[in-house]
Amino acid sequence: QSALTQPASVSGSLGQSITITCTGTGNDIGGYNFVSWYQQHPGKVPKFLIYDVSQRPSGVSNRFSGSKSGNTASLTISGLQAEDEADYYCCSYTRSSTLVFGGGTKLTV
Amino acid sequence: QVHLVASGGGVVQPGRSLRLSCAATELTFSRSGMHWVRQAPGKGLEWVADISYEGTNKYYADSVKGRFTISRDNSKNTLYLQMNSLRPEDTGVYYCAKDTSGWYLYYMDVWGIGTTVTVSS
């Protein structure tokens, strides 16, 4: 159950777009479309952002989008806003019927 | 909307036990799968365990398997995590979270306020 691999940090300017990658293996991301993303502001509870690779829960801005290719999932945030500055975590279902998170990516706007 | 509040955290010596609870405020609790997720100080999220809506299916991270036990009491709208043989690396904030499904447990859509566990001599 090794953690999924995410870049430690990414940065972007207001209004720009950024992409955060999340790399796993065929036993998790590559084997299933049960990939999700969570946003966590400092000192706050995580927020559910994306499920089923690319679906947004009700109430989540359409500036957030997800995709997957092979063993790598991606989260793209378009039209960056100051409030997007946070930590982002990917998560995948695994062959062992467990879940595994990525190490997290700190987004600086 | 389900609200979740975790409790039971504290300071405990290595090798000792602790039981966490997570109280849910909505009746939908009994139809929802549930998870425990933890976060060590300054570190990322780590999935710990999950349990199906009626309590028959349970899965654990390798790091806690054999030491932690997840359970639930739907009559009390409460989720539990029994933690035995605690280690310093178990230190962190423990969150309970509701799954979007009762049986196929993939996603955590509602997260509770966490409770802090510190394992230290």
Side-chain angles (χ1 to χ4, degrees):
Chain A
Q1 284 181 345
S2 299
L4 305 174
T5 301
Q6 297 181 232
S9 63
V10 298
S11 62
S13 302
L14 291 171
Q16 284 188 333
S17 295
I18 63 95
T19 295
I20 298 172
T21 57
C22 172
T23 302
T25 69
N27 292 327
D28 36 68
I29 292 176
Y32 306 92
N33 287 322
F34 304 130
V35 176
S36 55
W37 289 87
Y38 300 85
Q39 175 193 59
Q40 186 181 33
H41 288 102
K44 301 296 187 181
V45 166
K47 175 185 176 181
F48 184 43
L49 270 188
I50 295 285
Y51 69 98
D52 285 356
V53 174
S54 61
Q55 302 302 303
R56 283 185 306 277
S58 174
V60 173
S61 170
N62 59 8
R63 297 186 300 104
F64 295 91
S65 61
S67 63
K68 189 188 91 166
S69 178
N71 296 338
T72 298
S74 300
L75 173 71
T76 297
I77 310 174
S78 59
L80 274 177
Q81 300 180 1
E83 59 261 36
D84 297 332
E85 186 161 294
D87 294 325
Y88 292 84
Y89 296 90
C90 59
C91 183
S92 176
Y93 181 73
T94 80
R95 178 187 290 187
S96 303
S97 301
T98 60
L99 297 178
V100 61
F101 279 100
T105 298
K106 179 178 178 60
L107 169 61
T108 301
V109 179
Chain B
Q1 174 76 332
V2 176
H3 291 283
L4 304 170
V5 179
S7 62
V11 180
V12 62
Q13 293 179 328
R16 305 297 290 265
S17 298
L18 206 58
R19 189 177 84 154
L20 306 183
S21 299
C22 172
T25 60
E26 268 283 338
L27 294 179
T28 55
F29 174 83
S30 63
R31 300 195 296 272
S32 302
M34 297 293 296
H35 301 261
W36 285 102
V37 175
R38 68 185 180 184
Q39 187 167 32
K43 301 298 183 181
L45 301 174
E46 180 187 11
W47 177 83
V48 173
D50 64 25
I51 185 169
S52 55
Y53 74 101
E54 89 293 37
T56 55
N57 280 7
K58 306 174 186 182
Y59 295 97
Y60 300 90
D62 287 345
S63 57
V64 307
K65 196 176 297 182
R67 299 187 300 123
F68 289 12
T69 301
I70 189 171
S71 62
R72 64 191 299 159
D73 185 339
N74 287 343
S75 68
K76 297 181 179 179
N77 278 6
T78 303
L79 174 74
Y80 301 101
L81 185 68
Q82 177 66 43
M83 304 186 297
N84 298 332
S85 303
L86 282 162
R87 305 167 179 169
E89 55 264 37
D90 295 319
T91 293
V93 175
Y94 283 71
Y95 297 102
C96 55
K98 183 187 82 64
D99 198 280
T100 57
S101 167
W103 190 257
Y104 300 102
L105 308 184
Y106 306 140
Y107 308 122
M108 295 154 272
D109 64 344
V110 178
W111 294 64
I113 302 298
T115 186
T116 301
V117 173
T118 303
V119 183
S120 173
S121 54

